[in-house]
Amino acid sequence: MSRQVFLYDPPDRFVAGTVGLPGRRTFFLQASSGPRVTSVALEKAQVAALAERMDELLDEVVRRSGGSAPVPAMAPTEISDNAPLEAPVEEEFRVGTMALAWDGDEQRMIVEAQALVELDAESDEDLAEAEERLLQDEENGPPMLRVRLTGLQARAFAKRALDVVNAGRPPCPLCSLPLDPEGHVCPRQNGYRRGA
């Protein structure tokens, strides 16, 4: 079966968002252009890593260009997008592998999110070989979301993504573990329940 690529070049909107209550949230990347919307599910840590690496890559682009690249140093507040994900949120796939690149000719950030794939291998060598084949197979690989963003769009995405990640449950002041509305068993309180 041939690979399905959801390409947005450029998207009207590309955001990270969640569905559900803090502590039970499902994280999504959502790209849209006109009536077309693609949502892919991923882990909170993947969203955080993507946003942090995106900011680092943009900082490096600015540094190497001597400030001449069309990339703002910070996300401009006038284009911040705090709207919820477009409903209905229908998961196309769960993300396994992500990649970032900067296209210097087009001055665009390229974000790729590839579907999670289970590989059967009997040894570490077989697994490494299967992973390499999978990454090199452009025609028959797993589904992929590919988004090309301007520097401005990329900065705005990274800021919102970090805000979404940090908008979860507040940390316990003693142990820093997340507090549920009904409290949690705090290891620093010798197992006694601590309220929110």
Side-chain angles (χ1 to χ4, degrees), residues 25 60 95 141:
R25 299 184 295 172
E60 183 65 16
V95 174

Side-chain angles (χ1 to χ4, degrees), residues 1 3-6 92-93 113-117 141-145:
M1 186 165 114
R3 172 182 290 227
Q4 185 175 13
V5 176
F6 301 92
E92 294 291 340
F93 58 84
Q114 184 172 283
L116 182 64
V117 175
M144 176 188 294
L145 171 65

Side-chain angles (χ1 to χ4, degrees), residues 55-150:
D55 265 341
E56 290 171 7
L57 181 56
L58 291 169
D59 290 344
E60 183 65 16
V61 167
V62 169
R63 187 186 69 73
R64 286 190 181 188
S65 71
S68 65
V71 176
M74 297 177 65
T77 55
E78 63 271 8
I79 67 157
S80 67
D81 181 352
N82 296 320
L85 296 173
E86 291 185 39
V89 178
E90 296 176 1
E91 177 183 324
E92 294 291 340
F93 58 84
R94 179 157 288 281
V95 174
T97 305
M98 295 184 297
L100 278 177
W102 179 259
D103 180 345
D105 295 334
E106 298 289 324
Q107 300 291 299
R108 295 284 187 265
M109 171 78 68
I110 302 165
V111 180
E112 291 183 348
Q114 184 172 283
L116 182 64
V117 175
E118 304 240 350
L119 299 173
D120 292 327
E122 294 182 18
S123 70
D124 288 343
E125 280 182 16
D126 290 346
L127 182 61
E129 188 178 308
E131 287 174 343
E132 188 63 31
R133 273 196 319 271
L134 184 64
L135 291 173
Q136 293 177 358
D137 189 356
E138 280 295 315
E139 277 187 33
N140 299 311
M144 176 188 294
L145 171 65
R146 182 177 292 145
V147 181
R148 296 175 58 86
L149 304 167
T150 65

